[in-house]
């Protein structure tokens, strides 16, 4: 069946292109403003922030304002010496070095005057850069904390222990410890890169083998699963019956549940015969329902199994489809990276706003101030201990007023583009597998490169349909994000009705998103088959599935279970192999495995990588099953087996349905 050659949903295609152009413009605008702000601040050559007194960061104000109430200055390098202002000012060479950490040149001012005006720090501590901040180089000698290899330091007033810096660095220490663990993890991953690669290669091979074996073992796996479910329920009935009989002569076991009433200790109910009788009845009803469904749905289960076998054969004809998820992953990486970079540019493309910070009560706390004339202002007079420090980036220009809308546009376009890339992959795979189903002769009538041909058709004729479907999904997703944001803001609220309403809305939109994803997926299949617009294809797919709703449910559940078993099997096998290899618990691998401090790091990497590899391969297989299923339903409704309208399904599917082509 050849799809119609014509562009669909042209208006939405034009709208999508305009939106993409605007998205690029937003990124360029954010980058240009960000660059100008950085240049204007003069911090390009001095990228590190140095705190005059790190111990001030232990103040509770830090948790409220995310700012240490101590003077800060941008420096080119962090100090690598420990000295005080008093000792440095007496030595010309030391003073030249010390002055580079002052807010401005103190000239010939005395030490008390310099400290009073807070022009220079009272002391320098050997520090290291981290996250563009200078943090003291803390270490340990036994159980004693040191800074710069010394157990004490001079803060300009008295000798302090190095451990006094810990409170001020508490939050930073957590980050630094996390950084050290992360560095260990990265080093271990690099050390065992080739071994991880070999393990992931095993996952690829196992995924391919599993898909090939589904052609022969799908039926066995499904029927074994059904028999096991029946056997498990039957065992439950037998076990409950044994417990029911064993409690016959037990004192107190013959009272009813009504007489017992509610008990907080649920184990009490297990000593009552009526509890086990209830279990027997429930399990017997469940067993009866399963057997009845099996009797009436046996033919539909056979159809689902045969479609899975046919999907395995289709993947064999279009082997390149198994590696298409790599292309989708590459496009999604670009979308995510562009969104992240644009978000950073927009977040930092503002003018610096300074506010008053004070350790004690101050009437001007958190008011906007100007650092250049703050020392002469009324704020400084009213609060002598206050400081005018950088608070955040903002501004009053038209650009800054509409910055929130640009951020919203960035998030919305991210969802739209990500959904578009996913939709493109679904339609491309659907077109390739549909060409397999509708080809009377699989070897002669299929295109030479079905995947490339389908990708070309999708981009040339159906970009508008892809944009339309992904736009609807993006609108629902952005609404869900707004609901989560509102929920976060209302966490401290006491309005129970508002919380209940918000919870209901979140649940409804979650269900709506799932339904739209399901509808879009089948709509893209119909677009790939017939070449019609998105709305027409979505309606046709929906009503076609509703006319065959039982077949849809059976096929969906059978496919989900088989693919779940496949993922579990592949991740489990590769994970067990990786554990014995990297842990060195097996003598066979002791010489080959690298020596690692955290051997669980490469094991977890292998497990996660194996899951994504299996998911990537099986997502192609699931798309193949869904495409062939819709083609199968269309084949049943449009053809009758006559010479003019013969069935195009396989002979095995015809045998399951007890149908045949008259030409045969």
């Amino acid at each position: 069946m050849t799809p119609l050659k014509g562009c669909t949903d042209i208006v939405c295609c034009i709208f999508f292109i305009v939106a993409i152009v605007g998205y690029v413009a937003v990124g360029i605008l954010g980058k240009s403003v960000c660059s100008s702000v950085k240049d204007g601040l003069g911090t390009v050559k001095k990228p590190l922030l140095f705190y005059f007194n790190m111990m001030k960061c232990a103040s509770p104000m830090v948790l409220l304002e995310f700012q240490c109430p101590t003077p800060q200055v941008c420096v080119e390098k962090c100090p690598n010496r420990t000295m005080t202002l008093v000792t440095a000012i007496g030595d010309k060479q030391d003073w030249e070095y010390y002055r580079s950490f002052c807010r401005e040149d103190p000239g010939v001012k005395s030490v008390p005057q310099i400290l009073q005006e807070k022009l220079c720090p009272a002391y320098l501590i050997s520090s290291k850069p981290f996250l563009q901040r200078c943090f003291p180089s803390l270490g340990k000698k036994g159980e004693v904390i040191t800074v710069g290899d010394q157990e004490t330091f001079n803060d300009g007033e008295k000798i302090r222990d190095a451990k006094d810096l810990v409170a001020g660095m508490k939050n930073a220490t957590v980050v630094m410890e996390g950084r050290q663990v992360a560095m260990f993890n990265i080093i271990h991953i690099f050390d065992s890169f080739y071994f991880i690669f070999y393990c992931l290669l095993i996952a690829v091979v196992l995924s391919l083998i599993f898909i090939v074996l589904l052609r022969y073992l799908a039926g066995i796996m499904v029927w074994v699963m059904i028999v096991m479910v029946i056997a498990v329920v039957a065992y439950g009935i037998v076990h409950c019956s044994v417990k029911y009989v064993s409690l016959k002569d037990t004192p107190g076991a013959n009272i009813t549940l009504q007489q017992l009433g509610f008990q907080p200790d649920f184990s009490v109910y297990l000593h009552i015969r009526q509890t086990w009788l209830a279990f027997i009845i429930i399990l017997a009803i469940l067993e009866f329902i399963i057997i009845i469904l099996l009797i009436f749905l046996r033919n539909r289960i056979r159809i689902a199994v045969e479609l899975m076998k046919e999907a395995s054969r289709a993947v064999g004809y279009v082997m390149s489809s198994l590696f298409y998820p790599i292309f989708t992953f590459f496009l999604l990486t670009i979308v995510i990276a562009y969104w992240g970079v644009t978000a950073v540019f927009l977040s930092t493309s503002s003018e610096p706003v300074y506010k008053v910070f004070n350790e004690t009560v101050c009437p001007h706390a958190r008011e906007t101030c100007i650092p250049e004339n703050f020392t002469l202002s009324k704020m400084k007079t009213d609060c002598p201990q206050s400081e005018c420090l950088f608070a955040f980036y903002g501004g009053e220009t038209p650009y800054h007023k509409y910055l929130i809308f640009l951020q919203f546009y960035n998030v919305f376009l991210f969802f739209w583009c990500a959904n578009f890339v996913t939709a493109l992959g679904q339609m491309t795979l659907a077109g390739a597998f549909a060409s397999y189903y509708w080809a009377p002769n699989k070897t002669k009538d299929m295109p030479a490169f079905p995947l490339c041909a389908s990708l070309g058709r999708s981009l040339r004729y159906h970009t508008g349909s892809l944009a339309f479907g992904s736009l609807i999904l993006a609108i629902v997703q952005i609404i869900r994000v707004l609901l989560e944001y509102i929920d976060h803001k209302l966490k401290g609220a006491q309005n129970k009705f508002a919380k209940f309403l918000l919870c209901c809305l979140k649940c409804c939109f979650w269900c709506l998103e799932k339904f739209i994803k399901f509808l879009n997926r089948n709509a893209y299949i119909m677009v790939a088959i017939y070449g019609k617009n998105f709305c027409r294809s979505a309606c046709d797919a929906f009503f076609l599935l509703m006319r065959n709703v039982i077949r849809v449910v059976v096929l969906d559940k059978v496919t989900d279970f088989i693919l779940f078993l496949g993922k579990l099997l592949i991740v489990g096998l590769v994970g067990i192999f990786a554990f014995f290899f990297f842990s060195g618990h097996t003598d066979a691998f002791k010489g080959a495995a690298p020596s690692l401090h955290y051997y669980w790091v490469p094991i977890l990497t292998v497990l996660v990588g194996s899951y994504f590899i299996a998911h990537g391969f099986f997502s192609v297989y699931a798309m193949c099953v869904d495409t062939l299923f819709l083609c199968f339903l269309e084949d049943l409704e449009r053809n009758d087996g006559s010479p003019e309208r013969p069935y195009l399904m396989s002979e095995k599917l015809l045998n399951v349905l007890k149908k045949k082509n008259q030409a045969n």
Side-chain angles (χ1 to χ4, degrees):
M1 181 177 292
T2 305
L4 298 174
K5 294 293 183 68
C7 296
T8 56
D9 300 298
I10 299 175
V11 174
C12 198
C13 178
I14 296 172
F15 184 52
F16 181 65
I17 293 172
V18 172
I20 291 295
V21 172
Y23 196 23
V24 174
V26 168
I28 295 173
L29 177 64
K31 184 179 185 304
S32 61
V33 176
C34 179
S35 300
S36 65
V37 170
K38 285 186 177 180
D39 293 339
L41 286 172
T43 60
V44 176
K45 294 183 180 179
K46 296 183 177 181
L48 302 174
L49 191 64
F50 171 72
Y51 297 95
F52 274 26
N53 188 352
M54 176 58 69
M55 288 186 294
K56 297 285 187 181
C57 297
S59 169
M61 292 294 293
V62 177
L63 301 177
L64 298 174
E65 304 292 345
F66 298 99
Q67 181 66 275
C68 290
T70 182
Q72 303 152 32
V73 62
C74 292
V75 296
E76 187 176 356
K77 294 180 180 179
C78 293
N80 55 12
R81 308 183 204 173
T82 301
M83 62 179 74
T84 64
L85 175 63
V86 176
T87 57
I89 204 168
D91 185 278
K92 185 177 181 181
Q93 188 175 359
D94 287 345
W95 177 237
E96 191 66 31
Y97 174 79
Y98 200 99
R99 250 188 341 187
S100 62
F101 298 96
C102 296
R103 299 167 73 176
E104 58 183 72
D105 190 355
V108 293
K109 294 180 180 179
S110 63
V111 171
Q113 195 174 1
I114 293 173
L115 294 176
Q116 184 180 3
E117 298 179 11
K118 297 185 178 179
L119 301 178
C120 298
Y123 59 93
L124 293 181
I125 294 180
S126 179
S127 307
K128 290 182 180 179
F130 176 57
L131 294 176
Q132 294 185 317
R133 304 290 189 272
C134 292
F135 290 107
S137 306
L138 294 182
K140 270 191 175 184
K141 284 184 178 178
E143 296 298 322
V144 181
I145 296 176
T146 62
V147 56
D149 294 328
Q150 300 294 322
E151 297 178 8
T152 59
F153 69 96
N154 191 327
D155 69 349
E157 297 177 359
K158 61 180 180 179
I159 303 298
R160 290 180 176 268
D161 292 331
K163 65 181 181 181
D164 294 342
L165 288 166
V166 174
M169 291 185 63
K170 185 176 181 181
N171 295 332
T173 303
V174 173
V175 178
M176 291 172 72
E177 289 176 355
R179 180 195 179 207
Q180 290 177 349
V181 173
M183 288 301 297
F184 268 119
N185 295 345
I186 293 171
I187 291 170
H188 287 338
I189 290 174
F190 276 109
D191 288 343
S192 53
F193 174 78
Y194 291 107
F195 302 102
I196 293 174
F197 176 76
Y198 294 143
C199 290
L200 297 181
L201 198 60
I202 293 173
V204 171
V205 174
L206 289 177
S207 300
L208 290 172
I209 292 174
F210 187 83
I211 290 175
V212 172
L213 289 179
L214 281 178
R215 185 185 306 184
Y216 310 101
L217 301 179
I220 298 174
M221 294 171 67
V222 171
W223 291 113
V224 167
M225 176 264 296
I226 293 172
V227 171
M228 286 180 64
V229 170
I230 294 174
V232 168
V233 177
Y235 171 78
I237 295 173
V238 173
H239 178 76
C240 293
S241 301
V242 171
K243 295 292 292 185
Y244 178 76
V245 173
S246 66
L247 290 172
K248 182 178 180 180
D249 299 323
T250 304
N254 291 313
I255 65 172
T256 64
L257 294 173
Q258 187 176 5
Q259 292 173 335
L260 182 64
F262 175 77
Q263 299 293 329
D265 185 6
F266 288 99
S267 62
V268 174
Y269 294 103
L270 300 180
H271 299 284
I272 308 299
R273 293 188 73 201
Q274 200 175 73
T275 302
W276 294 103
L277 179 62
F279 287 159
I280 293 171
I281 295 171
I282 293 171
L283 290 175
I285 293 173
L286 181 62
E287 185 86 331
F288 177 76
I289 292 173
I290 292 173
I291 293 173
I292 292 297
L293 287 175
L294 184 61
I295 293 172
F296 285 99
L297 298 179
R298 65 187 187 281
N299 203 44
R300 288 179 172 83
I301 295 174
R302 290 175 62 196
I303 293 172
V305 170
E306 198 55 48
L307 278 171
M308 294 179 69
K309 293 179 180 179
E310 191 67 22
S312 185
R313 285 189 284 268
V315 171
Y317 273 92
V318 193
M319 283 296 293
S320 57
S321 62
L322 290 173
F323 302 98
Y324 185 85
I326 298 174
F327 179 65
T328 301
F329 176 76
F330 173 72
L331 293 180
L332 284 175
T333 302
I334 294 176
V335 171
I336 294 171
Y338 185 81
W339 164 77
V341 171
T342 303
V344 171
F345 283 155
L346 292 175
S347 299
T348 57
S349 61
S350 305
E351 298 172 355
V353 174
Y354 294 84
K355 291 201 171 188
V356 177
F357 292 91
N358 199 59
E359 293 184 75
T360 57
V361 178
C362 175
H364 303 290
R366 294 179 293 281
E367 290 184 11
T368 305
C369 58
I370 301 174
E372 286 77 11
N373 59 4
F374 180 72
T375 53
L376 304 176
S377 66
K378 186 177 182 298
M379 297 178 183
K380 184 68 174 178
T381 305
D382 295 341
C383 307
Q385 302 298 322
S386 63
E387 292 291 331
C388 184
L389 302 176
F390 171 78
F392 56 86
Y393 283 104
E396 300 297 330
T397 65
Y399 169 79
H400 297 113
K401 289 181 179 179
Y402 294 105
L403 188 59
I404 184 65
F405 296 103
L406 296 179
Q407 287 281 25
F408 179 83
Y409 186 77
N410 181 37
V411 174
F412 179 73
L413 261 292
F414 163 71
F415 283 124
W416 195 359
C417 292
N419 292 330
F420 180 87
V421 170
T422 304
L424 177 62
Q426 292 174 346
M427 186 178 290
T428 299
L429 292 172
F433 294 130
S435 64
Y436 164 84
Y437 185 93
W438 297 114
N441 190 318
K442 309 302 182 188
T443 56
K444 295 181 180 179
D445 297 332
M446 281 187 65
F449 303 100
L451 196 68
C452 295
S454 179
L455 178 61
R457 285 195 306 271
S458 300
L459 290 174
R460 182 177 178 183
Y461 298 110
H462 308 307
T463 299
S465 298
L466 294 170
F468 194 6
S470 53
L471 172 63
I472 297 172
L473 185 57
I475 291 172
V476 175
Q477 288 172 334
I478 202 71
I479 292 174
R480 288 194 64 203
V481 170
L482 293 175
L483 289 174
E484 290 292 342
Y485 176 76
I486 295 171
D487 185 38
H488 177 72
K489 290 294 183 181
L490 291 178
K491 274 189 175 178
Q494 301 299 322
N495 193 328
K496 301 293 184 181
F497 176 76
K499 290 184 176 181
F500 172 76
L501 180 62
L502 191 63
C503 184
C504 292
L505 287 173
K506 287 167 63 178
C507 180
C508 290
F509 276 96
W510 179 84
C511 295
L512 180 61
E513 182 182 353
K514 295 296 181 183
F515 173 74
I516 290 176
K517 284 183 176 179
F518 169 78
L519 188 62
N520 282 5
R521 182 183 179 92
N522 291 284
Y524 297 143
I525 295 174
M526 296 299 280
V527 172
I529 295 173
Y530 293 110
K532 298 177 182 178
N533 62 51
F534 177 81
C535 290
R536 178 71 180 277
S537 299
C539 289
D540 291 345
F542 179 75
F543 289 113
L544 179 63
L545 294 173
M546 289 301 101
R547 290 193 296 270
N548 300 271
V549 64
I550 297 178
R551 285 174 174 166
V552 172
V553 173
V554 172
L555 178 70
D556 184 57
K557 296 309 173 188
V558 169
T559 306
D560 286 348
F561 176 78
I562 295 298
L563 297 185
F564 170 75
L565 282 183
K567 291 177 185 177
L568 198 65
L569 179 66
I570 291 167
V571 173
L573 289 176
V574 177
I576 291 171
F577 174 79
F579 172 76
F580 284 111
F581 182 82
F582 289 109
S583 65
H585 289 175
T586 306
D587 295 335
F589 299 132
K590 279 190 176 178
S595 179
L596 301 174
H597 187 65
Y598 300 125
Y599 64 81
W600 51 265
V601 174
I603 293 175
L604 287 178
T605 305
V606 168
L607 288 174
V608 173
S610 300
Y611 174 80
F612 281 110
I613 287 172
H615 179 74
F617 279 106
F618 293 164
S619 65
V620 173
Y621 182 80
M623 193 69 200
C624 182
V625 172
D626 290 345
T627 303
L628 296 183
F629 181 56
L630 278 181
C631 292
F632 164 74
L633 296 180
E634 282 289 302
D635 195 6
L636 281 178
E637 293 196 355
R638 294 181 177 274
N639 300 316
D640 56 10
S642 63
E644 295 80 17
R645 291 188 298 166
Y647 293 118
L648 293 174
M649 66 186 72
S650 66
E651 289 295 328
K652 292 184 178 181
L653 274 173
L654 285 172
N655 293 334
V656 172
L657 294 170
K658 297 181 180 179
K659 295 180 181 292
K660 61 180 180 179
N661 286 319
Q662 295 177 14
N664 295 334

